[in-house]
Amino acid sequence: MIRKKNKFSWPRKLYDKTRISDENKLVEEYGLKNKKEIWKAEAKVKYFRNRAKLLINADSEEKNKFFARLNELGLPVKAIADVLALNKEDILKRRLATIVWKRQLAHTAKHARQMIVHRKVLVNHCVIDVPSYLVPVSDEHSIIAKKA
């Protein structure tokens, strides 16, 4: 059996009052299931930042490929400094549940999550039942709710 690597890392200080209160606000604002989803977003930002640091000395073609990939995901990036300035909220804003809620296909963020899990949301005429799916900009306008 192959052991899977974690997609996130636990906070170093588990009982940090300011971190916990900030995370509680994010959970409420984006309708997240638990704080692990915030930590996953942080891990993804950390991955993008490390990748950008490795590309500092690379040729412009590789950098442009990386920037194009991030722009496809809806992260407005034009330089390495922009990648280093990304934060977890930029990732949370691109999640399917958040976009469904912001486009007013659901009343609340929690309602959007429930619609997605119950397979009531179509992206490009395909059912996606993962609330944490990062929606590409090209598919953002093709999100619709199923009719009863």
Side-chain angles (χ1 to χ4, degrees):
M1 185 168 105
I2 298 173
R3 185 172 179 202
K4 289 186 180 179
K5 186 180 176 201
N6 275 347
K7 295 180 181 178
F8 67 96
S9 61
W10 295 88
R12 289 184 184 192
K13 199 172 175 187
L14 289 179
Y15 300 106
D16 183 16
K17 186 175 182 179
T18 57
R19 179 190 55 80
I20 291 172
S21 64
D22 290 343
E23 287 176 350
N24 285 338
K25 288 176 190 170
L26 288 175
V27 166
E28 187 66 31
E29 182 180 350
Y30 292 104
L32 305 175
K33 179 180 169 189
N34 51 34
K35 293 181 183 173
K36 191 185 292 187
E37 294 182 349
I38 296 173
W39 301 338
K40 285 181 182 180
E42 284 177 349
K44 192 165 285 280
V45 168
K46 185 177 177 183
Y47 168 76
F48 290 148
R49 285 182 185 158
N50 288 337
R51 185 90 189 278
K53 288 176 191 174
L54 291 174
L55 289 175
I56 288 174
N57 295 328
D59 60 335
S60 61
E61 184 179 324
E62 287 184 52
K63 289 180 188 178
N64 290 336
K65 232 187 245 187
F66 178 61
F67 297 152
R69 175 71 179 122
L70 291 181
N71 286 325
E72 267 181 34
L73 287 176
L75 302 172
V77 173
K78 294 179 183 152
I80 291 181
D82 296 336
V83 178
L84 298 177
L86 288 176
N87 59 18
K88 59 190 166 206
E89 289 188 43
D90 295 329
I91 299 289
L92 293 174
K93 287 177 187 173
R94 297 302 309 163
R95 298 176 79 229
L96 180 60
T98 306
I99 292 176
V100 166
W101 173 50
K102 295 289 185 189
R103 292 192 62 212
Q104 297 179 346
L105 298 173
H107 302 295
T108 63
K110 295 271 188 185
H111 181 224
R113 180 184 189 87
Q114 186 179 28
M115 284 177 62
I116 294 165
V117 170
H118 288 237
R119 305 172 63 89
K120 302 291 184 193
V121 176
L122 300 172
V123 178
N124 252 354
H125 304 291
C126 296
V127 173
I128 294 184
D129 58 354
V130 181
S132 63
Y133 173 73
L134 293 179
V135 181
V137 175
S138 59
D139 294 344
E140 189 172 349
H141 297 292
S142 64
I143 297 173
I144 56 172
K146 271 188 190 177
K147 300 204 169 41

